[in-house]
């Protein structure tokens, strides 16, 4: 994938550049130093060195209007000289590194040590071995052959450890590979508009070369550095590079510098690309970063990280790490998004995802219990042995016997460790990972591109969805269906002859000129299809209206090309209108305006009558028009747009910057009603949501009547229900107190009934989402999903628990703020996401139910067995097979169950519902009782039943007995059949329901069975197994089948009777308070995590991996935009790493790195380092 480090890449480019410099009029170096200047400095430099931007275009052999010729050799040459537009990614971890990481696990290390000691002792034959008096406490001397085989147990344990490590490493490796694949998919989908050979084309971001003429518009994320050539009202948010949140206005004569990674907040324009990839401003920071990151890693490895005083260079590297974040996106390095994902995973979520919080808690509880049990086991065994040998049999401790005794102690120690290993569910992180990764893969098919894994699971708990109207609930194919022109209200498209010619001409000009020239209507791709709408859909609707009136907009645009437009006031969420000023032949000015009818009509003082003459339009006429025209249109669910114009004299020239005076005294040409039909599948999808206990709310910028009409069509509101539909103004009036501050109690009065919020600003959307999330009005904390497509939806998407961005209509900014991208912009895909989310939760519960039954039984058997017979009936290696291999398989089998529609018939679980419900607890304990009864029966009277030798009280290295093999085999058979029981967790009777829909499950159950036969029949000494006869096998399978019958018995016991059963893994209220209010919370979870680190950390490490985007590629150690980092600094996820790494949030100046002192915001919070963590 790009194995070069950034610096190699960079120096290679330097060399290329010096050799080819002469082919173009300027070298890469010159352009790079030019792009480091800002504002007036840059303008002066361009004037002095080149003349103007046109001259730079000539030197780069490109035309500001036609663009590059786009021939392959020319593009190739440009890539060679000026570099490509991508940043070489950091190398992924190698398989060996992953193996090394898997080996770090505490339990595994303990096992390895025990196995090595056991091995060493088995090879050591002390002189005193013949001494009969040593350790015959257990009776029965061993024969020579067995003594030779003493090494086998140690070797077998080592082998199983190797197995576990390889499985873990392979899982991590394949996950990483999957995510890189997913990421590159996201990248290939990211396109940018450039002009080549006079044609406007969309090309992948990585294909952009120096000299390209790129078209930039509202909502874009700039993919490379460039110089502004021409445009309207272009405002850029450069906070990602400078940390200043003010929008910077760009113009050719004041500030023409457009930098990669910055966001276009308003307007549109064209730029000539001057620097790409590692040479762009963003790339330069990255190159510094690449070096910084590597040094830092070396430091960490040497373990020189003092707690607080991280030296300057290191903290600088950290600060920049965060900085890198946003750059990652536009530049599309080979894993742009990951960076962003990773940081998002650390910082964006207000608290741990629901599931993680619950699992962490459960893990701590299980870990503690396991430690206690294993410690007690070891102590009991050692005491029993010493008391028995030295007190009861009064044996002296002879020096030559020491090794023999040590061997006994090692054996006890191994048994203790085995109990610990079994007690802790290592399979859990694997189940979570597999379940999420599987869901994410399948969700792609359901048009959900998941950018952050935990979003998938959070979605299952969603209780509210705040949806946009346009494009999500509706088809986003706008068509004008009604119009009010020349004092007549036409209920369908009027005949062109019925409209006055003068009015018609004005109307066509107003629509054609006063809309983005990138908006077009193209002929359909297939015969009989609808014409294709390109660009802004509302404008497409208006252009379609022009075509329906048998007119054409192209000639008007050709006559008045974009460069000649005198001034453009672009649409933004504050103005809610767009206006364009042109210079007429007689030097006077005309301004065309269009926008939301109630806003534009307020500014009209005249209206064109039937004869095409302006007549006075008084406020009372306006009120009448609203009643007679606009409200009826809105009640049919139409959006109303008013088109107007105004003429200005040539002298004195108006003051164009004084918007209030300019956008006034307009003459209304017409009002049109645009229909955006509801998507046919939406009402059904909304019905499913409501049945699943999810409230759907519509938040739109549209008029309240239109919004209400659409909400009724969708089924969001039903006539006769008790609900609220508010406008943004009214909403704000109700939630603010006298001082104008927002009060949570006031929001709590409104949101439960609110269904439609119309004419809302982006802030209103954010306020509503925040209000619902922070509300304590209901006993469950609300989990809110939000959909958005515009740049202005960014804050609400970030605030929400799950943000959905539109893949087709969405802007880059919205996609960057989101967790899931809907590739088909369709609301019904959200329902699929809910289904998958619930399925993940259920899969993990199924696995837990299965896993915990195994654990409870195995621990009790090992513990009591060891205490009563001084030797665990289930040997260390057998335990490892049951625990690690079966769990791994079971997690695969149970985590890949496909979701069913029935998941949508229940209410969401919410945050306080325990992971292990009463029903599950009943199943776990019920099955445990069955299994324990049978195993103990076999252990103590099994030899009589099967007429075989007893395996109890066997000496140290005795051969495996049939007796214990039957116990082991029965145990495994019971687990196998219980795995089928575990498929249902809500007490359903039919456990086979849909079993063939999951081929993985069937394969695994049969596969495990086959391997078990091999182990028992041919496992021999390493597995402590002796081959069994057919009738013994039949009994084992018969007892296993009993599990299914017993499962039915358990299902008949009503759970409500079993009040004494406790649930486990519940999140208490305290843990949910977001960190902003409660910093101790971070500490609280950390203590838990540290305790875990002492105990059983394997599975927990797995969870943590998921938390940081499954340790995706440790991309530049941090993620997407640094303004994001700033915005989210307050809500650092409770992860000990973050706490450990938060360097003081002071601003760091990068002045030595960039020629101008650009200060970077502290992004260290985005840092989750795996290495230097205690």
């Amino acid at each position: 994938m790009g194995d070069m480090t950034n610096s190699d890449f960079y120096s290679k480019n330097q060399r290329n550049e010096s050799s080819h410099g002469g082919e173009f009029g300027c070298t890469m170096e010159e352009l790079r130093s030019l792009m480091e200047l800002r504002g007036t400095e840059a303008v002066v430099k361009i004037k002095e060195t080149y003349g103007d931007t046109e001259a730079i275009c000539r030197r780069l052999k490109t035309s500001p209007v036609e663009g590059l010729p786009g021939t392959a050799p020319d593009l190739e040459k440009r890539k060679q000289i000026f570099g490509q537009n991508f940043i070489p990614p950091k190398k992924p971890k190698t398989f060996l590194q992953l193996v090394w990481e898997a080996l770090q696990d505490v339990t595994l290390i303990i096992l390895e040590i025990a196995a090595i000691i056991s091995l060493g002792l088995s090879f050591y034959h002390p002189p005193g071995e013949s001494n009969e008096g040593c350790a015959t406490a257990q009776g029965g001397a061993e024969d020579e052959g067995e003594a030779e085989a003493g090494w086998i147990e140690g070797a077998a344990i080592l082998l199983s450890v190797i197995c576990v490590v390889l499985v873990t490493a392979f899982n991590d490796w394949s996950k990483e590979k999957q995510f890189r694949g997913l990421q590159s998919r996201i990248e290939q989908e990211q396109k940018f508009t450039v002009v080549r050979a006079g044609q406007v084309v969309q090309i992948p971001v990585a294909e952009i070369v120096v000299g390209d003429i790129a078209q930039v518009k509202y909502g874009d994320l700039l993919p490379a550095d460039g110089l502004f050539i021409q445009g309207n009202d272009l405002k850029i948010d450069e906070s990602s590079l400078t940390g200043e949140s003010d929008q910077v206005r760009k113009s050719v004569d004041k500030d023409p510098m457009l930098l990669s990674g910055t966001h276009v907040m308003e307007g549109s324009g064209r730029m000539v690309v001057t620097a790409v990839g590692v040479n762009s401003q963003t790339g330069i920071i990255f190159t510094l970063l690449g070096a910084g990151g590597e040094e830092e890693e070396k430091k960490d490895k040497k373990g020189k990280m003092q707690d607080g005083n991280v030296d300057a260079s290191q903290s600088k590297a950290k600060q920049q790490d965060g900085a890198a974040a946003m750059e990652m996106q536009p530049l599309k390095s080979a894993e742009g998004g990951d960076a962003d994902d990773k940081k998002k995973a650390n910082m964006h979520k207000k608290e741990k995802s629901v599931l993680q919080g619950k699992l962490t808690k459960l893990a701590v509880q299980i870990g503690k219990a396991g430690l206690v049990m294993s410690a007690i086991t070891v102590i009991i065994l050692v005491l029993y042995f010493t008391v028995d040998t030295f007190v009861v049999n009064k044996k002296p401790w002879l020096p030559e016997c020491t090794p023999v005794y040590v061997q006994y102690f090692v054996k006890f120690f191994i048994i203790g460790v085995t109990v610990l290993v079994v007690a802790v569910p290592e399979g859990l992180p694997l189940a979570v990972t597999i379940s999420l990764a599987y869901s994410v893969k399948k969700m792609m098919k359901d048009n959900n591109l998941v950018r952050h894994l935990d979003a998938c699971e959070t979605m299952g708990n969603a209780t509210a969805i705040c949806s946009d109207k346009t494009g999500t609930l509706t088809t986003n194919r706008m068509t004008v269906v009604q119009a009010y022109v020349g004092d007549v209200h036409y209920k369908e498209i009027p005949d062109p002859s019925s409209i006055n010619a003068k009015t018609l001409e004005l109307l066509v000009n107003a629509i054609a000129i006063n809309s983005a020239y990138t908006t077009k209507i193209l002929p359909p791709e297939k015969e009989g299809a609808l014409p294709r709408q390109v660009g802004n859909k509302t404008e497409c609707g208006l252009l379609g209206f022009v075509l329906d009136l048998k007119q054409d907009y192209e000639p008007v645009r050709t006559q008045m090309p974009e460069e000649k437009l005198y001034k453009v006031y672009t649409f933004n969420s504050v103005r809610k209108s767009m206006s364009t000023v042109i210079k007429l032949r007689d030097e006077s000015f005309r301004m065309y305006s269009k926008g939301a009818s109630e806003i534009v009509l307020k500014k009209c003082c005249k209206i064109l009558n039937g004869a095409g003459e302006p007549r006075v339009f008084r406020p009372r006429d306006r009120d009448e028009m609203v009643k007679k025209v606009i409200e009826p249109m809105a009640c049919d669910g139409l959006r109303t747009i008013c088109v107007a114009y105004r003429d200005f004299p040539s002298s004195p020239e108006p003051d164009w910057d004084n918007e209030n005076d300019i956008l006034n005294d307009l003459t209304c040409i017409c009002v049109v009603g645009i229909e955006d039909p509801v998507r046919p599948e939406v009402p059904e999808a909304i019905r499913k949501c409501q049945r699943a206990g999810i409230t759907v709310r519509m938040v739109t910028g549209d008029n309240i009547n239109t919004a209400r009409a659409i909400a009724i069509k969708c089924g969001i509101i039903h006539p006769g229900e008790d609900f609220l539909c508010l406008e943004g103004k009214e909403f704000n009036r109700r939630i603010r107190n006298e001082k104008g501050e927002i009060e949570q109690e006031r929001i709590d009065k409104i949101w439960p009934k609110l269904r439609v919020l119309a004419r809302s600003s982006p802030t209103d959307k954010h306020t509503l989402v925040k209000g619902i999330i922070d509300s304590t009005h209901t006993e469950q904390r609300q989990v809110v999903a939000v959909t958005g497509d515009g740049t202005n939806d960014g804050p609400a998407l970030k605030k929400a628990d799950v943000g959905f961005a539109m893949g087709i209509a969405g802007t880059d900014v919205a996609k960057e703020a989101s967790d899931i991208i809907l590739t088909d912009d369709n609301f019904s895909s959200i329902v699929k996401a809910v289904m998958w989310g619930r399925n993940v939760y259920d899969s993990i519960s199924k696995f837990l139910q299965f896993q915990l039954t195994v654990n409870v039984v195995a621990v009790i058997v090992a513990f009591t067995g060891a205490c009563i017979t001084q030797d665990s009936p289930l040997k260390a290696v057998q335990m490892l097979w049951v625990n690690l291999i079966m769990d791994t398989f079971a997690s695969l089998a149970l985590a890949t169950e496909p979701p069913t529609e029935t998941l949508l018939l229940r209410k969401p679980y919410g945050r306080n519902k325990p992971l292990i419900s009463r029903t599950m607890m009943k199943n776990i304990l019920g099955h445990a009782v069955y299994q324990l009864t049978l195993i103990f029966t076999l252990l103590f009277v099994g030899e009589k039943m099967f007429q075989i030798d007893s395996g109890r009280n066997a000496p140290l290295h005795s051969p495996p007995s049939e007796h214990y093999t039957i116990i082991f085999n029965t145990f495994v058979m019971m687990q196998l059949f219980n795995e089928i029981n575990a498929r249902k967790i809500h007490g359903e009777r039919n456990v086979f329901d849909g079993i063939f829909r999951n081929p993985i499950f069937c394969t695994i159950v049969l596969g495990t069975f086959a391997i078990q036969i091999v182990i028992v029949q041919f496992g021999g000494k390493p597995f402590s197994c002796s081959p069994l006869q057919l009738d013994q096998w039949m009994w084992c399978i018969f007892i296993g089948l009993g599990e299914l019958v017993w499962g039915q018995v358990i299902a008949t016991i009503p759970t409500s009777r079993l009040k004494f059963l406790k649930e486990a893994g519940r999140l208490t209220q305290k843990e949910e308070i977001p960190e902003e209010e409660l910093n101790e919370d971070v500490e609280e979870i950390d203590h838990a995590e540290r305790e875990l680190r002492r105990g059983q950390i394997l599975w927990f490490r797995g969870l943590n991996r998921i938390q940081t985007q499954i340790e995706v590629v440790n991309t530049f150690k941090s993620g997407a935009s640094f303004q994001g980092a700033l915005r989210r600094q307050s809500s650092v996820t409770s992860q000990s790493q973050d706490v450990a790494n938060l360097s003081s949030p002071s601003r760091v100046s990068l002045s030595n790195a960039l020629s101008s002192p650009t200060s970077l915001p502290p992004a260290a919070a985005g840092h989750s380092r795996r290495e230097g963590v205690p």
Side-chain angles (χ1 to χ4, degrees), residues 191-209:
K191 300 256 200 317
F192 207 78
T193 316
V194 296
V195 180
R196 285 197 179 161
Q199 292 294 312
V200 177
V201 288
Q202 289 222 324
I203 58 169
V205 167
E207 297 291 308
I208 294 176
V209 293

Side-chain angles (χ1 to χ4, degrees), residues 355 431-432 434-436 438-440 442-443 446 456-461 831-847 893-904 906 909 983-986 997-998:
L355 191 62
V432 178
I434 292 172
S435 184
L436 286 171
Y438 170 78
S439 305
V440 167
K442 293 286 190 203
M443 281 167 81
D446 286 338
C456 162
E457 163 261 317
T458 312
M459 206 44 220
N461 286 311
V831 182
K832 296 255 174 56
V834 172
M835 212 153 81
W836 277 107
R838 293 187 172 190
N839 194 47
V840 167
Y841 203 93
D842 277 11
S843 296
I844 287 163
S845 295
K846 286 172 193 174
F847 177 70
L894 292 166
T896 51
E897 290 272 311
T900 54
E901 287 281 327
T902 48
L903 286 169
L904 293 176
R906 62 173 173 76
Y909 282 144
R983 290 184 67 246
K984 298 286 177 244
I985 47 174
H986 298 298
R997 282 219 312 276
N998 187 358

Side-chain angles (χ1 to χ4, degrees), residues 523-587:
E525 282 173 341
K526 296 192 204 67
E527 278 293 302
L530 293 163
R532 281 183 300 152
Q533 298 188 341
V534 182
N536 180 312
K537 301 298 186 198
T538 310
E539 290 179 354
C540 286
L542 291 168
L543 292 174
F545 179 51
V546 170
L547 299 177
D548 289 342
L549 292 171
K550 314 279 187 290
Q551 307 294 313
D552 192 1
Y553 61 88
E554 279 301 341
V556 180
R557 286 185 172 180
T558 326
Q559 202 182 340
M560 175 62 66
E562 206 170 353
E563 300 77 68
K564 286 199 185 163
L565 301 180
Y566 196 80
K567 169 95 180 127
V568 178
Y569 300 93
T570 48
F571 180 90
N572 65 24
S573 52
V574 181
R575 286 191 194 121
K576 292 233 192 265
S577 68
M578 169 179 175
S579 313
T580 306
V581 180
I582 57 171
K583 211 169 189 168
L584 301 174
R585 292 210 182 90
D586 60 1
E587 295 293 305

Side-chain angles (χ1 to χ4, degrees), residues 108 123 154 281 367 466 512 531 536 624 707 744 747 782 799 893 950 1025:
L108 288 182
F123 287 123
Q281 288 307 293
C466 296
N536 180 312
E624 189 178 359
Q744 186 64 43
I747 298 184
Q782 296 280 313
K799 178 68 192 166
S950 164
C1025 285

